[in-house]
């Protein structure tokens, strides 16, 4: 199985540019209109427990607010101070930290991996040619699945293990050096290199170079620490068959927060972040960073030329896609993780920025961008705003209904399977080890097997061939695993593309 986050579900949107359909919205109340629209979203899609929205125009925060429930276990309301997971939206934070260090001469974006990791990277990945600029723009041509899984999913890592795993980096055959291919590996490997050189963790570097200067006092790479201090952290949820909502066990922990997806933030803090970028380094009238430095993060560095839902993605800068929504330039970096979805974007020409978060993924994939688009269209004076978004919301509801029906159908089909395990369950129980992927523990539970790989855990379901099972480490993201059996003895297991040897 290839480690993956549940992919975003695109739905078609008929776009009109803001300039082509502009009308005068001066007599309308933006906040009142937005509240009404979000209330309708909540009414039509009750499977999404909570939504957080931030809207900034110039230096003014028009709205920073939470709606609905942050965590269904505690029935805690979502507020502007609730912490939520940014996922890949945190890449812009990491890139800004590195750019700030480069501006001070502490490193160069043209530094090579070989200069920072002498002799550690395999020669076939061209470490003497691969620069930090490549890694920040997803053009490094690198692949390291064990590193990605340990950092983002299992949490089974320490500095020495990460250092050793660098030697297992391979060249991405389908995206060689210089070719854009979106990946977490570039950011992860770059920050391991910089941390090794500076003696400071990526968390310290992002904190010192971004969070502290911008006064983002609530944003953190340490959710467990904040939870112990009493902070409210939004849970991760999934729409279920019959309209139910499941709270997932895939909550992020300190050891699965990483340089490519490793921050918790709040609606209030995102207001400061958006203000900073739209005003080229100024917050509350005070210059925090040089304007040229901030502008450099949105300068096109590599061509992308792709569509993502209603957005045209023309290029990628430092931690940001640069493209268009309608006729307006849109700088954006979204984030997704099982049970959550985040939209972060801003229009530099109109000085309008938006952040939208939902703590449910299936519906969240459908509505975070829709809410952001509504905000941009309202400010553009879209004449058919109400009618158009009534249709968009109906399509989102139909899309979520289709997802839920698909979940039910898939479960029904799997229910007819019978176990293909050829030995008693106890024969499979034990500890399995992979030098690349870590330690896997297999136990017997509820007449089946439970497999635990660090922070990941799942009950086995029957699969199709002898000694195979199906696992869902992430909901609705199942994949087969296979036990290696010889002469009635279990020797190992193949799980998540890793070969584990039984101890």
């Amino acid at each position: 199985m290839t480690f993956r986050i549940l992919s975003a579900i695109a739905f078609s949107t008929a776009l009109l540019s803001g300039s082509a359909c502009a009308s005068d919205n001066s007599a309308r109340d933006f906040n009142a209109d937005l509240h009404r629209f979000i209330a309708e979203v909540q009414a039509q899609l009750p499977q999404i427990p909570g939504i957080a929205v931030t809207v900034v125009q110039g230096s003014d925060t028009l709205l920073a607010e939470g709606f609905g429930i942050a965590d269904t276990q505690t029935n805690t309301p979502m507020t502007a101070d609730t912490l939520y997971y940014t996922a890949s939206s945190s890449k812009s934070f990491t890139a800004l930290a590195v750019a700030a260090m480069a501006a001070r001469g502490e490193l160069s974006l043209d530094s090579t991996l070989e200069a920072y990791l002498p002799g550690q990277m395999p020669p076939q990945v061209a470490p003497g040619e691969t620069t930090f600029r490549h890694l920040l723009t997803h053009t490094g041509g690198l692949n390291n699945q064990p590193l990605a899984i340990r950092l983002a999913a299992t949490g089974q890592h320490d500095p020495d293990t990460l250092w050793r795993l660098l030697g297992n980096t391979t060249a991405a055959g389908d995206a060689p050096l210089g070719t854009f291919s979106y990946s977490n590996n570039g950011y992860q490997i770059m920050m391991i290199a910089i941390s090794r050189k500076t003696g400071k963790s990526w968390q310290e570097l992002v904190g010192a170079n971004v969070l502290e200067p911008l006064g983002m006092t609530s944003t953190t790479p340490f959710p467990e620490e904040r939870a112990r201090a009493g902070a409210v952290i939004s849970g991760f949820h999934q729409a279920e068959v019959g309209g139910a909502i499941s709270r997932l066990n895939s909550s992020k922990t300190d050891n699965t927060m990483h340089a490519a997806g490793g921050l918790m933030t709040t609606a209030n803090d995102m207001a400061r972040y958006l203000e900073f970028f739209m005003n080229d380094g100024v917050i509350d009238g005070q210059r925090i960073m040089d304007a040229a430095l901030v502008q450099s993060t949105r300068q096109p560095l590599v061509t992308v030329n792709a569509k993502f839902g209603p957005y045209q993605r023309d290029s990628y800068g430092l931690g940001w896609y640069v493209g268009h929504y309608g006729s307006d330039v849109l700088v954006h970096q979204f984030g997704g993780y099982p049970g959550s979805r985040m939209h972060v974007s801003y229009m530099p020409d109109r000085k309008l920025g938006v952040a939208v978060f939902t703590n449910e993924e299936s519906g969240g994939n459908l509505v975070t961008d829709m809410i952001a688009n509504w905000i941009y269209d309202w400010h553009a004076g879209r004449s058919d705003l109400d009618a158009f978004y009534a249709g968009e919301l109906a399509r989102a509801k139909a899309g979520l209904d289709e997802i839920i029906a698909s979940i039910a159908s898939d479960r029904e089909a799997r229910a007819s399977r019978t176990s293909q395990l050829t030995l008693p369950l106890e024969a499979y129980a034990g500890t399995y080890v992979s030098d690349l992927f870590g330690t896997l523990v297999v136990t017997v539970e509820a007449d089946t097997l439970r497999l635990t790989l660090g922070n990941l855990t799942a009950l086995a379901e029957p699969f199709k061939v002898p000694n195979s099972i199906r696992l869902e480490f992430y909901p609705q993201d199942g994949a087969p695993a296979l036990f290696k059996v010889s002469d009635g003895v279990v020797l190992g297991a193949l799980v998540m593309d890793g070969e584990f040897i039984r101890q």
Side-chain angles (χ1 to χ4, degrees):
M1 163 180 157
T2 300
F3 171 71
R4 60 193 181 276
I5 301 302
L6 292 175
S7 60
I9 300 168
F11 64 104
S12 62
T13 304
L15 283 177
L16 296 174
S17 68
S19 59
C21 57
S23 64
D24 186 4
N25 263 342
S26 59
R28 301 183 66 172
D29 184 324
F30 168 71
N31 277 15
D33 285 355
L34 179 58
H35 276 79
R36 279 192 293 271
F37 180 63
I38 292 177
E40 188 61 23
V41 170
Q42 292 176 302
Q44 294 293 322
L45 300 170
Q47 299 90 344
I48 301 176
I51 302 171
V53 181
T54 302
V55 186
V56 178
Q57 188 170 43
S59 299
D60 298 324
T61 299
L62 304 185
L63 181 117
E65 193 170 341
F67 303 85
I69 301 298
D71 195 319
T72 56
Q73 281 187 341
T74 59
N75 209 36
T76 307
M78 182 79 79
T79 74
D81 292 316
T82 299
L83 284 165
Y84 54 77
Y85 181 46
T86 63
S88 284
S89 295
S90 63
K91 286 182 174 68
S92 64
F93 289 79
T94 301
L96 178 60
V98 174
M101 294 173 69
R104 295 194 300 270
E106 297 172 13
L107 53 80
S108 169
L109 297 185
D110 295 315
S111 296
T112 65
L113 283 177
E114 182 61 25
Y116 272 65
L117 306 169
Q120 193 62 20
M121 302 290 286
Q124 60 267 31
V125 305
E129 301 174 38
T130 307
T131 67
F132 291 162
R133 196 184 306 273
H134 285 124
L135 302 181
L136 285 168
T137 58
H138 305 285
T139 58
L142 305 180
N143 183 55
N144 194 318
Q145 192 78 344
L147 195 74
I149 289 174
R150 285 179 183 258
L151 284 170
T154 70
Q156 292 187 338
H157 60 81
D158 55 41
D160 289 340
T161 299
L162 298 179
W163 182 250
R164 173 177 61 83
L165 288 174
L166 289 175
N168 294 97
T169 305
T170 60
D174 58 343
L177 180 64
T179 304
F180 180 85
S181 181
Y182 190 87
S183 168
N184 285 340
N185 273 155
Y187 279 65
Q188 293 165 339
I189 291 171
M190 177 191 63
M191 292 310 285
I192 291 172
I194 295 174
S195 294
R196 189 86 174 188
K197 191 87 165 182
T198 63
K200 296 182 179 179
S201 67
W202 75 266
Q203 293 96 326
E204 292 175 298
L205 294 171
V206 171
N209 288 283
V210 180
L211 304 184
E212 292 171 16
L214 271 62
M216 298 179 70
T217 57
S218 295
T219 304
T220 179
F222 301 111
E224 293 177 89
E225 177 184 284
R226 291 296 173 88
R228 287 192 294 270
V232 175
I233 300 178
S234 180
F236 299 81
H237 301 85
Q238 195 76 37
E240 276 289 356
V241 177
I245 304 169
S246 292
R247 192 191 192 283
L248 308 181
N249 63 2
S250 56
S251 298
K252 296 295 286 187
T253 52
D254 289 356
N255 62 6
T256 58
M257 303 290 273
H258 56 102
L263 291 174
M264 295 275 180
T265 193
T266 67
N268 278 330
D269 264 13
M270 285 307 297
R272 299 186 66 80
Y273 196 59
L274 291 168
E275 180 183 352
F276 168 85
F277 277 100
M278 287 187 298
N279 292 283
D280 292 334
V282 174
I283 301 179
D284 296 334
Q286 301 295 315
R287 176 154 298 284
I288 309 300
M289 292 186 194
D290 184 72
L293 165 61
V294 180
Q295 292 165 5
S296 73
T297 64
R298 61 176 180 261
Q299 292 304 306
L301 297 178
V302 58
T303 299
V304 175
N305 192 23
K307 292 283 289 184
F308 185 87
Y311 312 111
Q312 172 64 34
R313 289 177 164 175
D314 301 318
S315 58
Y316 200 84
L318 298 178
W320 294 102
Y321 284 99
V322 184
H324 289 82
Y325 172 65
S327 62
D328 289 296
V329 173
L330 188 74
V331 182
H332 59 285
Q333 177 64 71
F334 307 151
Y337 185 76
S340 68
R341 173 60 153 74
M342 187 172 184
H343 172 119
V344 183
S345 66
Y346 68 98
M347 292 180 172
D349 297 336
R350 288 169 53 188
K351 292 192 178 298
L352 183 64
V354 177
V356 184
F357 167 82
T358 62
N359 57 3
E360 192 281 331
E361 184 189 18
S362 295
N365 277 328
L366 302 171
V367 305
T368 48
D369 298 344
M370 180 176 66
I371 291 172
N373 297 344
W374 183 98
I375 293 167
Y376 286 125
D377 285 348
W378 190 98
H379 283 276
R382 181 165 190 148
S383 59
D384 63 341
L385 186 80
D386 295 339
F388 180 79
Y389 282 98
E392 289 296 270
L393 185 51
R395 280 187 282 275
K397 183 179 186 304
L400 183 54
D401 289 343
E402 183 177 341
I403 292 169
I404 294 172
S406 176
I407 293 170
S409 176
D410 183 55
R411 286 180 180 170
E412 183 178 355
R414 300 198 319 261
S416 63
R417 294 176 184 168
T418 58
S419 175
Q420 298 297 309
L421 299 178
T422 61
L423 301 173
L425 293 179
E426 290 75 11
Y428 300 89
T431 300
Y432 299 70
V433 174
S434 165
D435 286 342
L436 295 180
F437 290 88
T439 300
L440 173 73
V441 177
V442 181
T443 55
V444 178
E445 180 180 330
D447 297 325
T448 188
L449 300 175
R450 176 175 289 279
L451 277 69
T452 301
L453 183 59
N455 292 357
L456 301 179
T457 186
L459 288 174
E461 297 179 26
F463 199 56
K464 300 176 182 179
V465 299
N467 291 306
S468 69
I469 56 175
R470 179 186 182 275
L471 298 172
E472 276 193 9
F473 283 130
Y474 293 103
Q476 285 87 62
D477 191 19
L482 181 68
F483 288 101
K484 184 178 180 180
V485 177
S486 178
D487 296 327
V489 177
V490 182
L491 303 178
L494 296 174
V495 179
M496 296 184 76
D497 285 342
E499 184 173 355
F500 295 79
I501 306 302
R502 191 176 183 191
Q503 302 300 291

